[in-house]
């Protein structure tokens, strides 16, 4: 349908913007001038990945809840085709993106404080040494 194609193209456009942002970040790092692109990309990737697999599961409808493998393969930037997996598994796995590699909230704090110059959040534990959970 037209709405599905429109949503798919929206996801593709967001992925392309993210790819270009990552290329700009890599160029900045190679010249020794890293910028805020890393934190912005982390936030963008998290949401985009979740939206992509939500779209996939939505296309499959009820079948996404019961079938184990739809023949979907992940391809990385080197052309490696990963192991088969279900859209359902990738959908569930994408939820971890918001907590791994720095939570979404932490990334927002980094952008707010370091990029936008907002005052840091109050930290009552700033001068307390870490005890390792003991």
């Amino acid at each position: 349908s037209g709405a599905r194609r429109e949503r798919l193209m929206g996801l593709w456009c967001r992925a392309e913007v993210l790819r270009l942002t990552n290329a700009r970040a890599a160029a900045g790092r190679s010249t020794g001038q890293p910028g805020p692109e890393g934190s912005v990309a982390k936030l963008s990737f998290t949401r985009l990945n979740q939206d992509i697999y939500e779209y996939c599961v939505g296309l499959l409808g009820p079948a996404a809840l019961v079938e184990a493998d739809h023949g979907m393969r992940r391809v990385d930037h080197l052309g490696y085709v990963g192991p088969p997996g279900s859209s359902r598994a990738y959908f569930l796995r994408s939820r971890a993106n918001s907590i791994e590699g720095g939570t979404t909230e932490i990334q927002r704090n980094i952008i707010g404080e370091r990029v936008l110059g907002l005052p840091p959040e109050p930290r009552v534990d700033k001068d307390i040494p870490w005890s390792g959970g003991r």
Side-chain angles (χ1 to χ4, degrees):
S1 77
R4 285 184 184 164
R5 280 192 300 274
E6 186 175 328
R7 184 162 180 219
L8 177 62
M9 289 310 300
L11 291 169
W12 183 86
C13 288
R14 288 172 53 200
E16 186 65 7
V17 167
L18 183 58
R19 183 187 70 77
L20 294 170
T21 299
N22 284 329
R24 185 172 59 191
R29 284 191 305 272
S30 71
T31 63
Q33 297 188 359
E37 294 89 355
S39 293
V40 171
K42 165 71 172 103
L43 281 174
S44 297
F45 170 78
T46 296
R47 190 66 215 157
L48 175 62
N49 198 39
Q50 291 172 351
D51 290 347
I52 286 171
Y53 290 112
E54 185 176 298
Y55 177 76
C56 292
V57 168
L59 285 176
L60 292 167
L65 301 175
V66 294
E67 293 183 26
D69 184 358
H70 305 293
M72 194 166 129
R73 305 286 190 268
R74 290 188 83 144
V75 180
D76 71 10
H77 68 286
L78 299 175
Y80 168 75
V81 178
S86 72
S87 296
R88 178 188 62 215
Y90 287 134
F91 170 79
L92 294 172
R93 176 67 188 89
S94 73
R95 296 314 191 226
N97 293 145
S98 63
I99 59 171
E100 60 193 8
T103 67
T104 300
E105 289 78 16
I106 290 172
Q107 294 301 323
R108 287 181 179 146
N109 282 346
I110 290 170
I111 292 169
E113 293 172 16
R114 297 182 187 171
V115 178
L116 301 175
L118 298 174
E121 286 193 11
R123 290 185 39 205
V124 296
D125 63 344
K126 186 174 182 177
D127 297 321
I128 300 173
W130 185 68
S131 66
R134 294 181 215 168

